[in-house]
Structures are given as structure tokens and as C-alpha cells.
Amino acid sequence: MSQKRALISVSDKNGITDFAKELVSLGFELISTGGTKKALQEKGIPVLSVSDVTGFPEILEGRVKTLNPFIHGGLLSKHDNPDHLKQLDEHGIQPIQLVCVNLYPFQQTIAKPDVTVADAIENIDIGGPSMLRASAKNHQYLTVVVDPADYATVIEEFKADGTTTLETRRKLAAKVFRHTAAYDALIAEYMTNLAQEETPETLTVTYDLKQTLRYGENPHQKAAFYRKPLGSTFSIANAVQLHGKELSYNNINDADAALQIVKEFSEPAAVAVKHMNPCGVGTGQTGFEAFTKAFAADPVSIFGGIIAFNREVDAETAGKLHEIFLEIIIAPSFSEEALAILTGKKNLRLLTIPFNDVKKPELKMTTIEGGLLVQEQDRYSLEDATITVPTKRQPTEEEWEALKLGWKVVKHVKSNAIVVSSKDMTLGVGAGQMNRVGSAEIALKQAGEKAEGAALASDAFFPMNDTVEVAAKAGITAIIQPGGSIKDADSIKKADEYGIAMVFTGVRHFKH
């Protein structure tokens, strides 16, 4: 067999010249294209152009250069198959023992805010994936590298044994197929959106590993955290952790729940979450005032909880937070004084998220065994609803404010969901019960005497008038619910009987 050959063509040139020098020292003849060839030559590294190998120039603005039998014959031949070797000899094709390729920066291109369709299409790599797939398929005989992180391992094995192990080649080949699959998934998503296809016959998605986790919901379950490429920056997946120990599986779920609720508010707000349900929500003129109310809403359940703010955490607020055992605090930022106070607790996790970024809509995906459910996120707000007031009494201005707050929060409570609220804080939350009146009783019991003159929000309609009955007896004076039950008339009659103002939104907010 003739001299060993390595084909190198990379967009990510990190570490490539050092890798190429090592290959040359190991006796490889290098083949390259375009920018990679130029980068190697500038460092004095001997390299052949692909055109020298194929005898054919690059054409169509470089769209066609490696799609040639002199390249792919060298990639796909079985090095121990006499017939393959005979055909290579007949056609003057040399086998290739190593391929180092990574692809046109499609993801980086479409991430640009001013990207054109033409630019995006031009950055769809054709030759690169073809070489990678061919090489990975033929990993029995050649080494294929797509990730600069693997350069050192490959060089070490070649220095030790003159080749790489089959185990290493197989791992590298698997990484290649993951890489090309993820690359194609991004292209498929872009093209699907461009074509305005809402429910394509095949759903292709890709995520990048952000971190492995110690365990999942329970210690006996393995888990990991993946991040969507080009996903919303306004998310836990893109949060910056300033302090504290590593996030756990449950931390991440709870933190996401807190963030989704606090996103509902434009005024200063604080949200306390426990087990993915809000235990306290408060608003005010400042973050401190908002947190004071969120804490007062349920000072028991907040223990070991997660707090999300939509304003910077200042020293005054940090002092109050420091008094409580919390798992995570989320905010757009922390003042230097606040950081000095809160970092005194070594395990307390502090996360910042860019609240000013555009809220990018994403599909919500829920796995079931053997399948996947996909839906739009519930972004429906009270401003989108067609409001009706079927009762004799209209809500007062203060009741309207309480109803609005309750409706924003109840959307994020596990169904059946009931929230009791005033104009600036939650007073009681009833979540996840198998019947609606059960959730109402929990929320009203938590609110206690504060339910007098408060509002009650329900995520779905009342199947009968018993919820109105228990609400009225607790002192509730205003109710907001979707309406739409065949027994709406009974609930309206019961509300009128107690002088309750009831609002219908026409839309429900189930959350399972």
C-alpha cells in the first residue's frame, strides 16, 4: 500500500495546524481544500490540493470539489479486500486512512439576526457530510475526526501503534453520525419553518449536552441536561450560574417553572416555587416589596424553594433572602452588595437570565413511552381573551387587579388549579387535585381570613356550583374562570345569590 493519506477540510480551524504537523511527522501525506489548505501552507505544512488528487478543478463557486471517485473511492474501499484494492489500482486511486472534516457554519449563519435565505442555503454543506458519512461507514479501515477535542487521542494512538483502535474508530464514527444528524436536523428545522409546515410528517430535533447530572428525580435514575441549539436565551438552559453547587434535575424543572411565571409580569414581581407549583407570588413598586409579599403568601412552603425575580436583586432584598433556606435565586442581575451577601451561602445557586431578550416562542415537547407529544406553549393572556361578565355585579377596579393576577398565576399551576389572590399577591394555591372543589378548599384554607374580599381564579370551568358555594362562604367576592360548562347557569345563579362578580374568559389553562 502506498503512503498513508489524510484528508483535512475544516471550518473550525481550532488546533488544526498542530494536528496536521503531527500527522506529517507520522508519515501522512495531507490533502486539503480552500481555506484549510491555505492555513496549512501558511504554517509551512506540505499539503496537496483536492484538485491535484482528482485531476478536476473546483467548480460552481466551490460547491463541487470533493464529490469525486478519486476521493470517495479512497474513503469507501475495504483495505483488506483484494477486489477493492485491484479496482483502486486499475483507476489510480489511493486509499485514505484518516479524514478530518467539520462542516460549514450553518448554525452560526442562521443565528445572525439579518441572515438572508440565500446566505442560509449557501451554508448548507454537501461535500463535508458526504465525506464524513462515507468515512464513518468505513470506520473498520479508517479514522474519521469531526471534533478538535479528539485530535490528541488520535495522535497518541497513532504514535503508540501506528493506527487507532477499532474501539476508538467506532466511537469517532458514532460521533460523526450524531454530528451530521444534528446538522441535518437544524437544516430540516430551518427549511420546515421557511416552508411554514406546522406538522411535518417527521419531526427532527437536536439538542447539545449542557451537563450530566448526578441523578434524575430520584437517586436511582440517571439523567442529563441538554440545550436546544439557537433556543430561547430567555430560559434556564441559557442561564449563567454565578454561584452555588451544580443544578440538579429537580432544580432545573423547578427553576423553569418559576421563570415561566415571573415572565407573566411587567411590574416588579417575585415568584416562589416548590415542586413546580407556585407557593407565593407578589408584585410591588420594588423587588423587595414584591418578595415580601411572595414570602408572606406562604412562609412555610417557601423553605427549600426557588425564587425568581424580574428585577435586579439589591442588598435590601438579599438580606431578607439570606435569612431563608433557598435552593435557587433567579434574576436579571444581582448588585455587588447583594452578591456579597448571598455568596456567603456556599450551596445557594444564583442564576442570571437576560430578561430583555425577545421572548422566542418554542414548541413544548412531552415524552411518553414510545412517543412524543408536541404543542405550542400556552402564551394566551387575558389581553387575548374575549371577556364577559355574566353575573349581575361587575368587578370593582381593585377586584379586576386581583382577578388579573390570579389568572396570570393559575395558568402555571398543575390542574385542577385554583388560585386565591389580592391585587398584588397570591393568598392561597390549590393544585393537582382530582376534583376542582378539592383544589378550591386547599387554596381557601391556605388563604384563611385573607380570603375575605379576595378573588379566586380557576384554570378550567366549574362542572357544578359547589366551588362557587365554598368560595362565597370563605368570603371571596370575585371569580375568574373560562366558562363553557353545561351547568354555567347554576354557577352564575349561585354567584348572584352571594353577590359575587364572576368573569368568563372563554379559554382554559389546563396544565398536567
Side-chain angles (χ1 to χ4, degrees):
M1 189 177 287
S2 58
Q3 182 181 17
K4 292 183 293 187
R5 275 187 164 178
L7 192 157
I8 303 177
S9 180
V10 294
S11 291
D12 178 2
K13 295 179 175 55
N14 179 41
I16 195 59
T17 54
D18 289 339
F19 184 55
K21 286 177 182 177
E22 293 279 14
L23 291 175
V24 170
S25 71
L26 288 164
F28 277 90
E29 180 180 55
L30 306 185
I31 309 167
S32 193
T33 62
T36 305
K37 178 173 174 285
K38 181 181 177 182
L40 298 181
Q41 286 178 326
E42 287 176 351
K43 294 294 183 179
I45 301 171
V47 58
L48 293 174
S49 71
V50 167
S51 296
D52 294 334
V53 174
T54 64
F56 200 90
E58 295 184 12
I59 62 172
L60 307 179
E61 299 175 307
R63 283 187 167 199
V64 178
K65 46 184 176 278
T66 58
L67 298 171
N68 187 288
F70 281 93
I71 298 298
H72 283 270
L75 298 178
L76 286 165
S77 60
K78 296 179 179 179
H79 298 180
D80 58 0
N81 184 308
D83 186 50
H84 280 206
L85 297 177
K86 179 182 176 184
Q87 290 181 54
L88 292 184
D89 187 56
E90 288 174 352
H91 295 288
I93 299 172
Q94 290 190 40
I96 296 172
Q97 286 76 28
L98 185 143
V99 171
C100 178
V101 170
N102 50 57
L103 307 176
Y104 291 172
F106 181 78
Q107 179 177 327
Q108 294 90 323
T109 299
I110 63 173
K112 297 174 183 175
D114 57 348
V115 65
T116 64
V117 173
D119 284 341
I121 297 298
E122 202 56 38
N123 277 277
I124 296 176
D125 204 327
I126 300 301
S130 299
M131 289 189 290
L132 285 173
R133 288 173 58 81
S135 304
K137 174 179 178 176
N138 207 31
H139 70 273
Q140 178 77 23
Y141 305 98
L142 58 84
T143 303
V144 56
V145 189
V146 74
D147 185 353
D150 295 315
Y151 291 168
T153 298
V154 169
I155 293 300
E156 286 170 11
E157 291 195 10
F158 268 107
K159 283 182 175 179
D161 301 309
T163 186
T164 51
T165 65
L166 178 60
E167 180 185 12
T168 294
R169 293 196 299 275
R170 188 158 288 161
K171 287 180 178 178
L172 293 173
K175 182 178 282 193
V176 163
F177 283 119
R178 292 194 300 270
H179 182 74
T180 57
Y183 191 79
D184 282 338
L186 279 173
I187 295 169
E189 182 179 23
Y190 177 82
M191 295 299 294
T192 299
N193 292 336
L194 191 63
Q196 298 183 332
E197 295 276 2
E198 292 187 352
T199 52
E201 74 291 341
T202 302
L203 182 65
T204 51
V205 294
T206 185
Y207 290 83
D208 299 326
L209 181 65
K210 179 177 173 70
Q211 67 187 87
T212 55
L213 302 173
R214 286 179 297 156
Y215 52 82
E217 282 185 296
N218 301 290
H220 60 274
Q221 295 171 272
K222 293 180 180 179
F225 185 20
Y226 286 81
R227 173 170 49 198
K228 180 178 173 61
L230 304 183
S232 173
T233 56
F234 196 179
S235 69
I236 296 301
N238 286 289
V240 175
Q241 185 167 347
L242 303 181
H243 179 72
K245 62 182 181 180
E246 185 178 282
L247 292 170
S248 71
Y249 182 97
N250 292 331
N251 288 157
I252 293 164
N253 267 322
D254 287 341
D256 179 65
L259 179 62
Q260 298 312 316
I261 301 171
V262 84
K263 281 183 183 183
E264 297 281 351
F265 296 90
S266 56
E267 68 272 34
V271 173
V273 163
K274 198 79 171 288
H275 302 302
M276 294 183 68
N277 276 308
C279 57
V281 177
T283 63
Q285 296 298 312
T286 65
F288 177 79
E289 186 182 340
F291 174 69
T292 300
K293 293 171 184 175
F295 177 78
D298 189 346
V300 175
S301 299
I302 201 172
F303 182 85
I306 289 171
I307 308 295
F309 293 88
N310 61 0
R311 295 292 192 278
E312 180 175 87
V313 173
D314 60 16
E316 183 183 25
T317 310
K320 182 75 172 176
L321 293 165
H322 191 268
E323 298 171 1
I324 310 162
F325 168 58
L326 298 170
E327 291 280 357
I328 302 173
I329 303 172
I330 304 163
S333 58
F334 296 80
S335 72
E336 289 185 17
E337 296 85 354
L339 277 176
I341 294 168
L342 295 172
T343 52
K345 291 190 170 184
K346 67 177 183 178
N347 291 329
L348 176 62
R349 303 158 179 93
L350 305 178
L351 305 182
T352 60
I353 293 172
F355 274 68
N356 292 330
D357 281 13
V358 176
K359 298 177 178 67
K360 183 178 178 181
E362 293 185 357
L363 292 176
K364 182 173 177 58
M365 300 181 183
T366 304
T367 59
I368 60 167
E369 189 166 0
L372 179 73
L373 290 169
V374 180
Q375 65 174 343
E376 293 179 331
Q377 290 194 8
D378 187 357
R379 300 295 188 196
Y380 205 91
S381 70
L382 207 56
E383 287 70 31
D384 301 313
T386 302
I387 300 295
T388 58
V389 181
T391 51
K392 294 176 181 177
R393 189 172 75 79
Q394 296 278 326
T396 66
E397 185 175 335
E398 185 163 330
E399 285 172 339
W400 268 118
E401 295 305 310
L403 291 169
K404 288 176 183 177
L405 187 143
W407 191 246
K408 286 177 181 178
V409 176
V410 80
K411 180 168 80 171
H412 299 276
V413 178
K414 299 290 186 180
S415 301
N416 286 313
I418 297 290
V419 170
V420 177
S421 61
S422 67
K423 66 178 181 178
D424 52 12
M425 63 184 287
T426 55
L427 304 171
V429 178
Q433 299 306 299
M434 284 63 73
N435 61 74
R436 191 153 299 280
V437 71
S439 289
E441 287 170 343
I442 291 170
L444 291 164
K445 180 180 179 181
Q446 184 184 354
E449 294 179 357
K450 294 178 182 177
E452 188 71 39
L456 180 145
S458 173
D459 66 335
F461 64 58
F462 299 148
M464 51 192 68
N465 65 10
D466 51 359
T467 301
V468 180
E469 179 82 34
V470 298
K473 289 181 177 179
I476 294 294
T477 59
I479 291 173
I480 187 167
Q481 58 131 322
S485 168
I486 59 172
K487 294 189 176 181
D488 273 349
D490 292 346
S491 293
I492 296 166
K493 182 179 178 181
K494 184 63 68 175
D496 284 336
E497 180 182 326
Y498 285 99
I500 291 174
M502 187 155 62
V503 174
F504 283 179
T505 65
V507 61
R508 77 178 186 205
H509 284 305
F510 271 158
K511 185 177 178 64
H512 289 94

